Each structure stands twice: as structure tokens, then as C-alpha cells.
Amino acid sequence: MYIWKFLEHKGPYFPPEYQPLPDNVKFFYDGKAVKLSLAAEEVALFFAQMLDHEYTTKEVFRNNFLKDWRKEMTLEERMLITDLNKCDFGELHAMHKQKVEARKNLSKEEKQINKEANQKILEEFGYCMLDHHRERIGNFKIEPPGLFRGRGDHPKQGMLKKRIQPEDVIINCSRNSHIPEPPTGHKWKEVRHDNTVTWLASWTENVQGSCKYVMLNANSKLKGEKDWEKYEVARKLKSCVDAIRSQYQEDLKSKQMGTRQRAVALYFIDKLALRAGNEKEEGETADTVGCCSLRVEHITLHDALDGETCVVEFDFLGKDCIRYYNKVPVSKRVFKNLKLFMENKQEGDDLFDRLNTNMLNKHLTSLMPGLTAKVFRTYNASITLQQQLKGLSNSSDNVAEKLLSYNRANRAVAVLCNHQRAPPKTFEQSMASLQAKIESRKEQLELAKKELKLAKKEAKGSSDSKLLVMLEKKKKTVQRCEEQLLKMEVQATDREENKQIALSTSKLNYLDPRISVAWCKNMEVPLDKVYNKTLRDKFAWAIDMTEPDFVF
DNA sequence: GGCGGGACTTAGAATTATGACG
DNA sequence: CGTCATAATTCTAAGTCCCGCC
């Protein structure tokens, strides 16, 4: 736990007040123009702004929205507006699109003015003093009101996320600091001085009833130290992972059903990098699971499949409703246990009915201080990167090839952790255009080669300096063409392999930065080819301390 | 143990900035 | 120099884990 001595800040930044619609923009109900009250109008605009989004076609979203919208209406409005299908938000939607367009078309000067205004806000609200250090705050802006966008089949999608007032906000700072002023005419909910926590402000969000926090940026000393600790714990696991693996292999044979379930779960967490899988409140969130919350319908057991025996087929939605699909051959012992766990159960029943994340983590902490389920993800991700980099990269490669190797190593981790993304909307198109470029470059290369041949012929036996210079020039052209072609082909491969895979999450959260920093040093690849500005800031601690011989 | 909630990390999507190219 | 694709950054939802209470 981090105990601070001094914390001072300006409080969170509030979003602008709602600006009422101009008189010429009208909302229609059942074909008739209706002037809405301010509160109802604001919420109507939230919906209108989202009309191009698939959300607004979903039954659950529409129902939740209408229900919450009606709560904001006057009695009169509520009497009238009962059917969302009779609502015409067309003019509101058009106005919104127009505004977006207008902002895009702002002149350079106007954009610059906006930028400077934002800079000023950042300067005033975006920093705090923590124990003599001026630190960037991560999210100093209060989340603006809007419609809740839950992921997947979220039962609360479309509900109104209410505007946060200063009266909802708890401020945390030093007793002897300059206490932040609430916006004029307002009061804070509370000002407290709790130096055992790291948040500067908090409020309760109305859709799920959970807390939201204003916290420091990832580049702060406090966050950096915590990050370093996280990787040190993962490195410690490296030294005892063999013993832990032997232990759970033994536990697969235990007389205790609970112990065997724990062993199988641990095997999944270790081998497949599954998340712990806490229990969730039914009906409050989308139906997603992790290891401990797997249900019998999420796995299928195959005695034999595709020439392999004892295959477990996983198919479930994990965090953020990302599908996990995998067919994994397992040992006979694991397989037999799974069969047993599935016996006499039906759809909806827990696979591990004698296990939860708390018990699992209690057990893990007893094996190694600080060890929890998620440490396995960090450990396996980092060790995989290190092994892959070792196997894939050659110091004789050029930078483009080295980077392809790095990305492939990174990709192996992303696949392990199941970090996916929606394929970019323009993917096919951009792939085709890159391919076209490659083709044209190939033609260019052929041409250059022909010319080189010709020049060679001409220069043969001749000592005419002009011809020799020409020859050299042609050689250079061919070489340059070849390099560019290779670079493009490498890029095409990289992009194709990356279609549905997100590298950023593992880079940001799972891969010990010292592995990457050391690799860059050893391979003589500039660090900024691998880490952008944000990452270099976040991992400043690693960049400072890492020697080329670092081993995770 | 079980649960409810607080504090923190991890996650993909959305938005904005950048820079390559015609 | 404007356009457009890509990269970087922001946003905030959705996890993990632990603690206090019973």
C-alpha cells in the first residue's frame, strides 16, 4: 500500500452545461412537433446522437432508453410519449451531424484556439502535487452524461447515465493542502483526507451503482512503482512455477473433489492464460465468464478430435464479451477429471462447483506471497515474449525484419491472452491498395534490373567514366527498389497477421517493459519503433534501469 | 465460507492527431 | 496544401482482488 504525506489538486473538471436546442430544430412525436422540457430534450439528444449506431436498433437498448427518458419528462410529456417508434429524432440527428461536420471544417486558426483552450484546462486541472512531485492526473474530467453503452448483450444498455454534480463528488486530499473550490454555487459531497488510497476524487455512477475514481496518470511515480512491483511478483513466480506445476499435477489425483477442481482450474489458468473468473450478479451485467465461473455448456469433451486424444473444446464469452474459442489436447488425468465434474450436470451448472476465485487465490498466496490468478497471465505473457524474441529475431536482419519479428512475438502473446479487436473497417481496402503498391514496385524493379543489365553491357570493357557512373547509379536503383519491396512485403505480412489481433493491450499491461527495452538495445532498434510516446512515458522506470543483459 | 462494496488494473471502442501521399 | 489512412490518445466499461462484516 502506498501511504502519501501530501496531496493537493484542483478537483475534477466538469463537462459544459447542456445547451438547449435552437427553435428551428424540432422533435416530432406521431408526426407533430413537440417542444420538450429541458431535461427531456437533453436526453432525447443523447439518443438522436447515436442513431447511426447499431445500439439504437437493439430492443433492450430502446426499452431501457425509453424507460429512463420518461423519468426525465414532465407529467404532460410522459402522458404523450409512450412509444419510441412514434418518435422522430431526425432533425436532432441532422443538427448533431452538422455540428460534427462544422467542427471538422474549422479553420486551422480556430482549431489552434480550441487546442490552446484545452491545454489551459489541462494545465489547471490535469496536474496535482503528490509528495513534492507534480504529477499528471489520468482522468481529471468528470464523465459527461449520456446513454450507457454496455458491451455485448448488456441488460442495462441504453439506460441514462446521469450528469454528475459537485454534490455527488467526494474530494480526497491533504488536510494541509489548498482544498479545491467547488464550481460556483455548488458544494462537494464530502472532503476527506485518506492517505491510504490513491484517488483524488470519486463519485457513484447511477447505472451500475459502482464507484468511479479520478486517479493519477500511468506515467506517475506512484503508478510506475506499482507497475514495477507487478512485474517483480511475476518474475518471482518464474522461480517457483515448476514446483507449483508439480503440485497441481499431484492435486489432480487428490481424494478431495475441491482440490481436484482447483488443480484443473489452475492448469487452465497456467496453460491457457484464462482470467480468474469472479462470480457476477445475474441480470446486472452481460453473461461472461472466466476460469472459475465456467459452466458446463462452455466446454465440450472429445475423446478424439483431429487426430488428437483428450481434446477440450472451449467456447465462451470472456471479458468485454470477447469470444474465447480453442481446442486443447489435455492430459488423460485432466480429461478424466473434467468428465467427472460434468457428470449429472445440466446447462447452466458451474463446471467447478466446489471452487471460487477467493479459494483459489488463498491457495496461491500460500504457495508464494503475492501470488494470485492474474499473476500467471503476467508471467506467461512476459516469458512468452522473451522466448519468442529469442527464437525469432536475428541481429543480421534489417530493422523492418526485426520489427516484424518483434510484432510476431508480441502477437504470440496477444493470441495467448485472447486480445482481439474488430477488424478495421477499411481493412480489405487498405490491404488491396498495399498489394497494388507491391505489384507496381515489382514492375519497377524489373524495369530497373533490365536497365542495369543494359548499362552493364555498355560499360563492359569501357573506361568511360560517364558509363561507369551510370552503372553505379543503376545498381543503386535496383538495390533501393529491392529494399522498398521487401519492406512493403514485410508490412503486408504483418498487417494480414494482425487483422483481428490487438497488440496494444499486452504491450501496455502484460509485457515486462524491460524485455522490450533490452531487446531494442541488443538489436540496435530505436525504442520509439516499439514504444510510442505514451508507452515511453509509462515505462520510463524501465527505460532508465534496464541493461542489455536483462533477463525476465 | 459468503457477500457486498471499495480500490485498483485491464480492455476494446471511439475520438483525435499525425503524417504520407497525390 | 488538402485528403485520407494509420497511429496515438482518450474514454469508460469490465474485470481482479481484498477487506470487513456476518
Side-chain angles (χ1 to χ4, degrees), chain A residues 57-169:
Chain A
T57 65
K58 294 198 177 165
E59 202 54 31
V60 177
F61 189 96
R62 295 173 69 87
N63 289 339
N64 284 334
F65 163 71
L66 182 62
K67 200 170 153 203
D68 275 6
W69 186 27
R70 281 168 52 83
K71 288 181 200 157
E72 300 301 308
M73 292 177 187
T74 63
L75 186 58
E76 205 181 347
E77 287 166 341
R78 198 154 41 238
M79 299 281 280
L80 177 69
I81 300 167
T82 54
D83 182 356
L84 191 55
N85 294 314
K86 291 182 179 168
C87 293
D88 177 358
F89 300 96
E91 291 194 5
L92 279 65
H93 179 59
M95 181 196 75
H96 172 250
K97 285 188 86 165
Q98 211 173 12
K99 276 193 173 168
V100 170
E101 192 60 24
R103 200 163 22 152
K104 214 171 73 187
N105 292 332
L106 247 36
S107 73
K108 241 182 186 168
E109 293 74 26
E110 290 166 312
K111 278 184 183 166
Q112 188 57 32
I113 288 170
N114 282 340
K115 208 174 163 182
E116 278 163 20
N118 284 329
Q119 201 59 40
K120 214 178 139 191
I121 293 168
L122 174 69
E123 201 52 44
E124 177 167 6
F125 292 94
Y127 292 85
C128 69
M129 286 301 292
L130 183 77
D131 292 341
H132 313 297
H133 289 279
R134 184 167 185 259
E135 300 278 26
R136 234 348 247 287
I137 301 170
N139 55 328
F140 60 90
K141 288 177 177 166
I142 294 275
E143 293 172 20
L147 304 183
F148 179 72
R149 296 153 97 109
R151 305 274 169 84
D153 279 332
H154 200 296
K156 297 196 171 186
Q157 63 186 96
M159 284 176 67
L160 173 63
K161 196 171 111 165
K162 291 190 176 165
R163 183 178 288 274
I164 302 303
Q165 301 293 345
E167 284 72 11
D168 303 317
V169 174

Side-chain angles (χ1 to χ4, degrees), chain A residues 36 49 55 71 82 90 107 143 192 249 268 280 291 311 313 331 344 353 416 437 450 458 464 471 509 513 538:
Chain A
L36 294 170
Q49 286 173 344
Y55 272 124
K71 288 181 200 157
T82 54
S107 73
E143 293 172 20
R192 68 171 75 156
Q249 291 295 346
F268 286 166
K280 302 168 74 181
C291 185
V311 176
E313 183 181 358
S331 67
N344 299 319
D353 53 300
L416 175 71
K437 266 194 205 165
K450 270 184 195 162
E458 272 185 64
D464 183 344
L471 180 63
N509 299 302
K538 168 168 177 166

Side-chain angles (χ1 to χ4, degrees), chain A residues 21 65 67 146 162 243 385 406 444 478 487 525:
Chain A
L21 293 178
F65 163 71
K67 200 170 153 203
K162 291 190 176 165
L385 180 77
Y406 181 90
Q444 228 177 339
V478 168
K487 196 178 164 187
V525 170

Side-chain angles (χ1 to χ4, degrees), chain A residues 252-263:
Chain A
L252 290 171
K253 298 182 268 185
S254 167
K255 289 203 177 73
Q256 296 286 320
M257 179 70 129
T259 304
R260 288 206 308 281
Q261 290 195 357
R262 193 181 67 197

Side-chain angles (χ1 to χ4, degrees), chain A residues 59 94 103 107 163 191 204 217-218 242 260 341 367 428 481 491 548:
Chain A
E59 202 54 31
R103 200 163 22 152
S107 73
R163 183 178 288 274
V191 175
T204 303
N217 189 286
D242 289 340
R260 288 206 308 281
F341 303 159
L367 300 180
E428 296 307 331
C481 259
Q491 193 186 7

